[in-house]
Every structure is written in C-alpha cells, then in structure tokens.
Amino acid sequence: GAGVSQSPSNKVTEKGKDVELRCDPISGHTALYWYRQSLGQGLEFLIYFQGNSAPDKSGLPSDRFSAERTGGSVSTLTIQRTQQEDSAVYLCASSLDGPSGGQETQYFGPGTRLLVL
Amino acid sequence: GNSVTQMEGPVTLSEEAFLTINCTYTATGYPSLFWYVQYPGEGLQLLLKATKADDKGSNKGFEATYRKETTSFHLEKGSVQVSDSAVYFCALSQDSSASKIIFGSGTRLSIRP
C-alpha cells in the first residue's frame, strides 16, 4: 500500500467496554510498532512486532492491553475494560526490517483517536 | 534508561527568522537520532535522521548534527516559513536489539506571516 493505514480514525466508547484498533502496515514491511500519544505523556512506545511475534512488549501499560499480528501484515491492538486514562491517539508504524540490520526508518499511520467517556 | 529532553514550547517566530530547537539525549551505546514533525491534522513524519556521531541530517532546509560530546541533536533552520508551523519531536533509537523509538515531549512551533 501507499502508506500505513489505521482504522477507525476516531472511536468514542464508554468506560468498561472493549475496543479494537487496526493497523495495516506498508506492504513488505516486516516490523510493526504501536505507540500512544496522550496529553501530558507525549509519545510512548507500546509494543513491537517482527513478523507475527512480539519481541518487545515492554510498553504495554497493563494486562488490559494486548496486540496480535497475523500473516505478517495486519495488527490489532485490543484494550479491554477501557478506562478514561486510555483516551489518547494510538499510532502504528512499520519499517522494512527489525533492528538486526541497523535502524530502519519507521513510517507512521494517521492514528486512531480514542475517547473513553 | 534512555531518554530525550527537548526545548519546551510553544515557540513563536516571525517568517524568515532563524530557528533552533534544542534536544539532548541520554543513552547507552550509540543510538540513532531523529527529528519527526507533525503538521496540523496530519500524521507523524520523519524529518531527518543521523545514525552516528558527527553525521548531519538535513531535509527541507532543516539541519541537525549528531554531537556525541554534548549528547545533543539540535534542530536548526536558517529562514522559517509559515508552512513550517507544526509540532517537532526529537527521538532516539538504539542500534542494537531494541528498536523502539523514544520520543521527546514535542515542541510546538508557530510562524507568524
């Protein structure tokens, strides 16, 4: 594809509900990353996939957050029992390769703006 | 741990003014350094990067030099335009097994015509 795409672009949900956010990386990119951009917290790393496995999940804030990637392509980030502090813009990025060959440029999607009421 | 500290905003300048946005970092080893930009209503874009000491990244008239001795990567532009109004993020990533990007808090830049 032309770039990283994410859906939905906006999501409003009630506290306690589950949400799923989707990321379509650039075709051929093996590495995929999730970040969160929230007011007062800046941009935080959440999780990184190389292919379908996640070698670094260190940024997931709690066990309510999980992510998976299938077919080495699309990824979903799931937030269970959402809380108001989960409100943020969730950004996905992809790159050609993981870190072993040096740092590849990460290309970011437009983000999903999540609001938990 | 690794971290990035950048100049707090907002920064407001007149068109054609000289711009500096300061950025310093703390990291083990030899990280790669980046400046990302987020224009109003758009996604995050890589502006420039440098992967080793003394490298200079440049793009769209912006420059930043990787200074290991001062652990800095200050962003500069000689003559800003209204279209440069955006939020600028300094960032780093380790060049070893950790691939996540660590971002600074961002600096909002507004350019007056």
Side-chain angles (χ1 to χ4, degrees), chain A residues 6-25:
Chain A
Q6 294 185 243
S7 61
S9 53
N10 290 281
K11 176 73 177 178
V12 181
T13 190
E14 293 179 351
K15 179 180 168 181
K17 295 281 177 72
D18 297 353
V19 295
E20 268 193 8
L21 312 180
R22 176 186 167 108
C23 172
D24 277 272

Side-chain angles (χ1 to χ4, degrees), chain A residues 35 37 45 99 103 105-106, chain B residues 38 49 93 96 99-101:
Chain A
Y35 296 86
Q37 185 176 22
F45 166 81
Q103 185 58 47
T105 297
Q106 294 184 20
Chain B
Q38 191 169 32
K49 70 177 184 180
S93 70
S96 56
S99 61
K100 62 189 176 188
I101 293 179

Side-chain angles (χ1 to χ4, degrees), chain A:
Chain A
V4 178
S5 59
Q6 294 185 243
S7 61
S9 53
N10 290 281
K11 176 73 177 178
V12 181
T13 190
E14 293 179 351
K15 179 180 168 181
K17 295 281 177 72
D18 297 353
V19 295
E20 268 193 8
L21 312 180
R22 176 186 167 108
C23 172
D24 277 272
I26 292 173
S27 178
H29 280 193
T30 58
L32 185 148
Y33 313 79
W34 283 98
Y35 296 86
R36 178 167 74 172
Q37 185 176 22
S38 47
L39 278 176
Q41 297 293 323
L43 270 156
E44 315 166 74
F45 166 81
L46 298 178
I47 186 170
Y48 150 65
F49 287 92
Q50 179 63 29
N52 292 335
S53 63
D56 189 347
K57 308 179 186 181
S58 61
L60 293 178
S62 76
D63 59 7
R64 296 187 294 105
F65 287 72
S66 62
E68 64 174 15
R69 190 178 185 197
T70 54
S73 181
V74 171
S75 175
T76 54
L77 177 70
T78 302
I79 310 173
Q80 295 178 306
R81 305 181 302 282
T82 52
Q83 303 294 311
Q84 287 179 332
E85 62 262 27
D86 300 335
S87 297
V89 177
Y90 289 82
L91 294 170
C92 177
S94 69
S95 67
L96 260 176
D97 200 356
S100 59
Q103 185 58 47
E104 294 286 345
T105 297
Q106 294 184 20
Y107 295 88
F108 283 79
T112 293
R113 188 176 299 275
L114 174 66
L115 178 61
V116 181
L117 300 175

Side-chain angles (χ1 to χ4, degrees), chain B:
Chain B
N2 298 341
S3 66
V4 176
T5 302
Q6 68 180 99
M7 183 174 174
E8 291 208 10
V11 173
T12 303
L13 295 172
S14 297
E15 204 165 21
E16 299 182 6
F18 183 87
L19 168 71
T20 301
I21 301 179
N22 289 339
C23 171
T24 57
Y25 67 90
T26 302
T28 55
Y30 301 92
S32 293
L33 301 175
F34 309 86
W35 277 98
Y36 279 84
V37 59
Q38 191 169 32
Y39 296 105
E42 297 186 18
L44 208 57
Q45 302 173 27
L46 178 67
L47 179 61
L48 54 84
K49 70 177 184 180
T51 57
K52 60 182 189 294
D54 300 325
D55 268 3
K56 179 186 283 187
S58 60
N59 186 24
K60 299 182 180 180
F62 290 88
E63 293 183 338
T65 301
Y66 189 142
R67 301 279 188 210
K68 189 159 170 51
E69 63 276 13
T70 53
T71 61
S72 65
F73 193 55
H74 304 321
L75 183 68
E76 296 183 336
K77 186 172 185 181
S79 176
V80 292
Q81 306 300 313
V82 172
S83 57
D84 294 327
S85 299
V87 181
Y88 292 81
F89 294 90
C90 186
L92 71 81
S93 70
Q94 291 295 150
D95 60 355
S96 56
S97 60
S99 61
K100 62 189 176 188
I101 293 179
I102 296 170
F103 288 89
S105 55
T107 302
R108 183 175 298 278
L109 174 66
S110 296
I111 306 300
R112 292 189 299 254

